[in-house]
PDB file of all heavy atoms in Angstrom:
ATOM      1  N   PHE A 190      -5.605  37.764  11.103  1.00 66.00           N
ATOM      2  CA  PHE A 190      -4.527  38.154  10.208  1.00 66.00           C
ATOM      3  C   PHE A 190      -4.605  39.653   9.916  1.00 66.00           C
ATOM      4  O   PHE A 190      -5.664  40.258   9.989  1.00 66.00           O
ATOM      5  CB  PHE A 190      -4.550  37.339   8.913  1.00 66.00           C
ATOM      6  CG  PHE A 190      -5.908  37.262   8.269  1.00 66.00           C
ATOM      7  CD1 PHE A 190      -6.368  38.292   7.480  1.00 66.00           C
ATOM      8  CD2 PHE A 190      -6.694  36.131   8.449  1.00 66.00           C
ATOM      9  CE1 PHE A 190      -7.614  38.212   6.879  1.00 66.00           C
ATOM     10  CE2 PHE A 190      -7.937  36.058   7.847  1.00 66.00           C
ATOM     11  CZ  PHE A 190      -8.395  37.093   7.060  1.00 66.00           C
ATOM     12  N   ALA A 191      -3.449  40.226   9.548  1.00 75.00           N
ATOM     13  CA  ALA A 191      -3.408  41.649   9.210  1.00 75.00           C
ATOM     14  C   ALA A 191      -4.247  41.887   7.961  1.00 75.00           C
ATOM     15  O   ALA A 191      -4.311  41.041   7.076  1.00 75.00           O
ATOM     16  CB  ALA A 191      -1.962  42.086   8.975  1.00 75.00           C
ATOM     17  N   PRO A 192      -4.915  43.035   7.877  1.00 83.00           N
ATOM     18  CA  PRO A 192      -5.886  43.248   6.807  1.00 83.00           C
ATOM     19  C   PRO A 192      -5.296  43.690   5.477  1.00 83.00           C
ATOM     20  O   PRO A 192      -6.053  43.880   4.528  1.00 83.00           O
ATOM     21  CB  PRO A 192      -6.763  44.347   7.390  1.00 83.00           C
ATOM     22  CG  PRO A 192      -5.860  45.129   8.275  1.00 83.00           C
ATOM     23  CD  PRO A 192      -4.944  44.104   8.884  1.00 83.00           C
ATOM     24  N   PHE A 193      -3.974  43.867   5.380  1.00 89.00           N
ATOM     25  CA  PHE A 193      -3.391  44.322   4.130  1.00 89.00           C
ATOM     26  C   PHE A 193      -2.384  43.307   3.614  1.00 89.00           C
ATOM     27  O   PHE A 193      -1.822  42.518   4.378  1.00 89.00           O
ATOM     28  CB  PHE A 193      -2.722  45.692   4.338  1.00 89.00           C
ATOM     29  CG  PHE A 193      -3.692  46.754   4.748  1.00 89.00           C
ATOM     30  CD1 PHE A 193      -3.771  47.175   6.077  1.00 89.00           C
ATOM     31  CD2 PHE A 193      -4.552  47.314   3.821  1.00 89.00           C
ATOM     32  CE1 PHE A 193      -4.686  48.145   6.459  1.00 89.00           C
ATOM     33  CE2 PHE A 193      -5.475  48.293   4.198  1.00 89.00           C
ATOM     34  CZ  PHE A 193      -5.535  48.697   5.518  1.00 89.00           C
ATOM     35  N   PRO A 194      -2.125  43.314   2.282  1.00 92.00           N
ATOM     36  CA  PRO A 194      -1.217  42.312   1.733  1.00 92.00           C
ATOM     37  C   PRO A 194       0.203  42.503   2.235  1.00 92.00           C
ATOM     38  O   PRO A 194       0.665  43.640   2.405  1.00 92.00           O
ATOM     39  CB  PRO A 194      -1.322  42.538   0.216  1.00 92.00           C
ATOM     40  CG  PRO A 194      -1.869  43.913   0.048  1.00 92.00           C
ATOM     41  CD  PRO A 194      -2.726  44.157   1.241  1.00 92.00           C
ATOM     42  N   PRO A 195       0.955  41.426   2.449  1.00 93.00           N
ATOM     43  CA  PRO A 195       2.354  41.546   2.846  1.00 93.00           C
ATOM     44  C   PRO A 195       3.204  42.013   1.656  1.00 93.00           C
ATOM     45  O   PRO A 195       2.843  41.814   0.502  1.00 93.00           O
ATOM     46  CB  PRO A 195       2.722  40.118   3.265  1.00 93.00           C
ATOM     47  CG  PRO A 195       1.786  39.242   2.493  1.00 93.00           C
ATOM     48  CD  PRO A 195       0.517  40.039   2.349  1.00 93.00           C
ATOM     49  N   GLY A 196       4.365  42.622   1.949  1.00 95.00           N
ATOM     50  CA  GLY A 196       5.256  43.080   0.902  1.00 95.00           C
ATOM     51  C   GLY A 196       5.973  41.939   0.214  1.00 95.00           C
ATOM     52  O   GLY A 196       6.091  40.835   0.764  1.00 95.00           O
ATOM     53  N   GLU A 199       8.776  40.323   2.246  1.00 96.00           N
ATOM     54  CA  GLU A 199       8.215  39.550   3.348  1.00 96.00           C
ATOM     55  C   GLU A 199       7.686  38.198   2.864  1.00 96.00           C
ATOM     56  O   GLU A 199       7.902  37.166   3.492  1.00 96.00           O
ATOM     57  CB  GLU A 199       7.084  40.354   4.005  1.00 96.00           C
ATOM     58  CG  GLU A 199       6.566  39.788   5.305  1.00 96.00           C
ATOM     59  CD  GLU A 199       5.465  40.631   5.914  1.00 96.00           C
ATOM     60  OE1 GLU A 199       5.057  41.639   5.280  1.00 96.00           O
ATOM     61  OE2 GLU A 199       4.981  40.274   7.011  1.00 96.00           O
ATOM     62  N   PRO A 220       1.417  32.644   8.619  1.00 90.00           N
ATOM     63  CA  PRO A 220       0.431  33.725   8.455  1.00 90.00           C
ATOM     64  C   PRO A 220       0.749  34.661   7.302  1.00 90.00           C
ATOM     65  O   PRO A 220      -0.168  35.206   6.664  1.00 90.00           O
ATOM     66  CB  PRO A 220       0.448  34.451   9.807  1.00 90.00           C
ATOM     67  CG  PRO A 220       1.736  34.060  10.445  1.00 90.00           C
ATOM     68  CD  PRO A 220       2.045  32.692   9.955  1.00 90.00           C
ATOM     69  N   VAL A 221       2.014  34.871   6.983  1.00 92.00           N
ATOM     70  CA  VAL A 221       2.367  35.745   5.857  1.00 92.00           C
ATOM     71  C   VAL A 221       1.923  35.106   4.552  1.00 92.00           C
ATOM     72  O   VAL A 221       1.324  35.770   3.680  1.00 92.00           O
ATOM     73  CB  VAL A 221       3.887  36.009   5.847  1.00 92.00           C
ATOM     74  CG1 VAL A 221       4.284  36.751   4.562  1.00 92.00           C
ATOM     75  CG2 VAL A 221       4.299  36.823   7.061  1.00 92.00           C
ATOM     76  N   ARG A 224      -1.867  35.226   4.188  1.00 92.00           N
ATOM     77  CA  ARG A 224      -2.304  36.548   3.729  1.00 92.00           C
ATOM     78  C   ARG A 224      -1.990  36.739   2.249  1.00 92.00           C
ATOM     79  O   ARG A 224      -2.798  37.311   1.506  1.00 92.00           O
ATOM     80  CB  ARG A 224      -1.639  37.636   4.561  1.00 92.00           C
ATOM     81  CG  ARG A 224      -2.203  37.787   5.974  1.00 92.00           C
ATOM     82  CD  ARG A 224      -1.313  38.635   6.842  1.00 92.00           C
ATOM     83  NE  ARG A 224      -0.984  39.913   6.212  1.00 92.00           N
ATOM     84  CZ  ARG A 224       0.176  40.555   6.383  1.00 92.00           C
ATOM     85  NH1 ARG A 224       1.118  40.013   7.156  1.00 92.00           N
ATOM     86  NH2 ARG A 224       0.385  41.700   5.797  1.00 92.00           N
ATOM     87  N   HIS A 225      -0.849  36.260   1.823  1.00 94.00           N
ATOM     88  CA  HIS A 225      -0.484  36.355   0.412  1.00 94.00           C
ATOM     89  C   HIS A 225      -1.507  35.618  -0.459  1.00 94.00           C
ATOM     90  O   HIS A 225      -1.925  36.139  -1.515  1.00 94.00           O
ATOM     91  CB  HIS A 225       0.914  35.773   0.212  1.00 94.00           C
ATOM     92  CG  HIS A 225       1.361  35.738  -1.213  1.00 94.00           C
ATOM     93  ND1 HIS A 225       1.643  36.872  -1.944  1.00 94.00           N
ATOM     94  CD2 HIS A 225       1.558  34.684  -2.063  1.00 94.00           C
ATOM     95  CE1 HIS A 225       2.008  36.528  -3.177  1.00 94.00           C
ATOM     96  NE2 HIS A 225       1.967  35.205  -3.278  1.00 94.00           N
ATOM     97  N   LEU A 227      -4.665  35.012   0.270  1.00 94.00           N
ATOM     98  CA  LEU A 227      -5.922  35.752   0.303  1.00 94.00           C
ATOM     99  C   LEU A 227      -5.893  36.938  -0.665  1.00 94.00           C
ATOM    100  O   LEU A 227      -6.832  37.142  -1.453  1.00 94.00           O
ATOM    101  CB  LEU A 227      -6.213  36.253   1.715  1.00 94.00           C
ATOM    102  CG  LEU A 227      -6.599  35.210   2.756  1.00 94.00           C
ATOM    103  CD1 LEU A 227      -6.595  35.804   4.152  1.00 94.00           C
ATOM    104  CD2 LEU A 227      -7.965  34.641   2.448  1.00 94.00           C
ATOM    105  N   TRP A 228      -4.830  37.690  -0.639  1.00 94.00           N
ATOM    106  CA  TRP A 228      -4.784  38.887  -1.473  1.00 94.00           C
ATOM    107  C   TRP A 228      -4.551  38.543  -2.945  1.00 94.00           C
ATOM    108  O   TRP A 228      -5.039  39.252  -3.830  1.00 94.00           O
ATOM    109  CB  TRP A 228      -3.744  39.860  -0.947  1.00 94.00           C
ATOM    110  CG  TRP A 228      -4.272  40.559   0.270  1.00 94.00           C
ATOM    111  CD1 TRP A 228      -3.970  40.291   1.572  1.00 94.00           C
ATOM    112  CD2 TRP A 228      -5.237  41.602   0.275  1.00 94.00           C
ATOM    113  NE1 TRP A 228      -4.701  41.110   2.399  1.00 94.00           N
ATOM    114  CE2 TRP A 228      -5.482  41.927   1.627  1.00 94.00           C
ATOM    115  CE3 TRP A 228      -5.929  42.285  -0.709  1.00 94.00           C
ATOM    116  CZ2 TRP A 228      -6.381  42.913   2.009  1.00 94.00           C
ATOM    117  CZ3 TRP A 228      -6.820  43.276  -0.346  1.00 94.00           C
ATOM    118  CH2 TRP A 228      -7.038  43.580   1.008  1.00 94.00           C
ATOM    119  N   GLU A 250     -11.748  44.433   9.302  1.00 91.00           N
ATOM    120  CA  GLU A 250     -10.699  45.219   8.657  1.00 91.00           C
ATOM    121  C   GLU A 250     -10.359  44.640   7.281  1.00 91.00           C
ATOM    122  O   GLU A 250     -10.099  45.382   6.334  1.00 91.00           O
ATOM    123  CB  GLU A 250      -9.458  45.267   9.534  1.00 91.00           C
ATOM    124  CG  GLU A 250      -9.629  46.119  10.788  1.00 91.00           C
ATOM    125  CD  GLU A 250      -8.341  46.263  11.573  1.00 91.00           C
ATOM    126  OE1 GLU A 250      -7.410  45.467  11.320  1.00 91.00           O
ATOM    127  OE2 GLU A 250      -8.267  47.158  12.407  1.00 91.00           O
ATOM    128  N   PHE A 251     -10.335  43.310   7.153  1.00 92.00           N
ATOM    129  CA  PHE A 251     -10.062  42.693   5.860  1.00 92.00           C
ATOM    130  C   PHE A 251     -11.184  43.025   4.883  1.00 92.00           C
ATOM    131  O   PHE A 251     -10.937  43.321   3.699  1.00 92.00           O
ATOM    132  CB  PHE A 251      -9.920  41.184   6.006  1.00 92.00           C
ATOM    133  CG  PHE A 251      -9.658  40.475   4.704  1.00 92.00           C
ATOM    134  CD1 PHE A 251      -8.448  40.590   4.053  1.00 92.00           C
ATOM    135  CD2 PHE A 251     -10.648  39.685   4.125  1.00 92.00           C
ATOM    136  CE1 PHE A 251      -8.217  39.939   2.848  1.00 92.00           C
ATOM    137  CE2 PHE A 251     -10.427  39.043   2.921  1.00 92.00           C
ATOM    138  CZ  PHE A 251      -9.195  39.176   2.283  1.00 92.00           C
ATOM    139  N   ALA A 253     -13.093  45.671   4.949  1.00 94.00           N
ATOM    140  CA  ALA A 253     -12.978  47.073   4.585  1.00 94.00           C
ATOM    141  C   ALA A 253     -11.840  47.280   3.578  1.00 94.00           C
ATOM    142  O   ALA A 253     -11.991  48.032   2.601  1.00 94.00           O
ATOM    143  CB  ALA A 253     -12.729  47.910   5.830  1.00 94.00           C
ATOM    144  N   ALA A 254     -10.708  46.608   3.778  1.00 94.00           N
ATOM    145  CA  ALA A 254      -9.555  46.785   2.883  1.00 94.00           C
ATOM    146  C   ALA A 254      -9.803  46.221   1.504  1.00 94.00           C
ATOM    147  O   ALA A 254      -9.221  46.697   0.522  1.00 94.00           O
ATOM    148  CB  ALA A 254      -8.318  46.144   3.515  1.00 94.00           C
ATOM    149  N   SER A 255     -10.647  45.200   1.395  1.00 94.00           N
ATOM    150  CA  SER A 255     -10.891  44.544   0.105  1.00 94.00           C
ATOM    151  C   SER A 255     -12.107  45.108  -0.610  1.00 94.00           C
ATOM    152  O   SER A 255     -12.436  44.667  -1.722  1.00 94.00           O
ATOM    153  CB  SER A 255     -11.066  43.024   0.294  1.00 94.00           C
ATOM    154  OG  SER A 255     -12.162  42.740   1.150  1.00 94.00           O
TER     155      SER A 255
END
Side-chain angles (χ1 to χ4, degrees):
F190 48 82
F193 298 103
E199 190 180 3
V221 172
R224 286 167 52 212
H225 176 68
L227 289 169
W228 284 102
E250 289 186 344
F251 179 72
S255 60

